[in-house]
């Protein structure tokens, strides 16, 4: 949730919704944007590090870039 707030400037509630979706489905869409911006955000997510508020967290989250479905 804090990563979503810091990297995507989302309100806590929106970050929580995305985190809940990841918990439930194993993945969530964080952003639809240009490829270059998506690559930047992917790199930032992977470099963010462990979530100190989640005891079972073992390290950075993974992030994938996929083409948008039209």
């Amino acid at each position: 949730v804090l990563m979503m707030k810091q990297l995507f400037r989302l309100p806590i509630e929106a970050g929580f919704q995305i985190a809940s979706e990841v918990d439930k489905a194993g993945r969530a869409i964080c952003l639809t944007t240009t490829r270059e911006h998506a690559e930047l955000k992917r790199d930032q997510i992977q470099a963010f590090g462990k979530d100190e508020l989640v005891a079972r967290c073992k390290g950075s989250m993974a992030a994938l870039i996929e083409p948008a479905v039209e």
Side-chain angles (χ1 to χ4, degrees):
V1 175
L2 297 176
M3 178 185 68
M4 297 305 295
K5 181 179 181 192
Q6 184 176 335
L7 297 184
F8 294 92
R9 296 190 175 123
L10 292 176
I12 294 291
E13 297 80 13
F16 182 79
Q17 285 180 325
I18 291 172
S20 295
E21 181 66 22
V22 170
D23 239 10
K24 184 175 91 175
R27 63 191 299 169
I29 296 172
C30 298
L31 181 68
T32 301
T33 186
T34 65
R35 181 180 183 104
E36 293 80 15
H37 193 223
E39 289 170 346
L40 170 67
K41 291 300 175 185
R42 177 203 55 210
D43 294 346
Q44 289 175 333
I45 289 170
Q46 293 176 340
F48 197 80
K50 179 181 176 183
D51 185 341
E52 298 298 332
L53 300 176
V54 179
R56 69 182 193 270
C57 184
K58 293 184 167 102
S60 296
M61 294 187 76
L64 301 172
I65 298 173
E66 297 179 353
V69 178
E70 295 183 23

